[in-house]
Amino acid sequence: MENKKLPYIMYWTILSIGILSFTIPFFQEYGIITTLILTLLCSLFSWAIAMGLGKRNYMYLSALLLVSPWLFLLSSHFIN
C-alpha cells in the first residue's frame, strides 16, 4: 500500500518545490533566473511522474508550472 502512494508524494513534493521557487526573486537580485531553471526542472520531472501514473490532470498542472514563470515575467512587465 505504501508503494502506491510514493509516486503521488514525489509528484506533489516536486510540484510544490516548483511553486515555492517563486519566492526566490523577492530575496535575490537575479532570482528570476533561478526561478526559471527550478520551475523548468520541477515541471519536467513532475510531468514524467504524471505520465508514469497516467493522470492527465497532473500533466496539465505540470504544463502550467512550465508556463507560469513566463506569465509572471509578462505580468511584472505590464505592472511596472
Side-chain angles (χ1 to χ4, degrees):
M1 179 135 197
E2 188 174 317
N3 292 334
K4 290 183 179 181
K5 292 182 181 180
L6 185 62
Y8 292 103
I9 293 171
M10 287 176 50
Y11 174 82
W12 286 108
T13 303
I14 292 172
L15 194 75
S16 61
I17 289 171
I19 292 170
L20 285 175
S21 70
F22 283 103
T23 61
I24 294 173
F26 297 116
F27 301 114
Q28 293 180 357
E29 187 173 344
Y30 294 104
I32 194 64
I33 297 169
T34 308
T35 300
L36 288 172
I37 294 169
L38 195 57
T39 54
L40 173 71
L41 291 174
C42 287
S43 66
L44 291 177
F45 282 116
S46 64
W47 186 67
I49 293 172
M51 282 191 60
L53 290 171
K55 297 285 186 173
R56 187 173 295 234
N57 290 336
Y58 289 177
M59 289 182 215
Y60 292 148
L61 284 174
S62 300
L64 284 174
L65 183 63
L66 180 65
V67 176
S68 62
W70 302 106
L71 294 174
F72 178 73
L73 281 174
L74 185 67
S75 66
S76 65
H77 177 353
F78 284 120
I79 290 173
N80 292 332

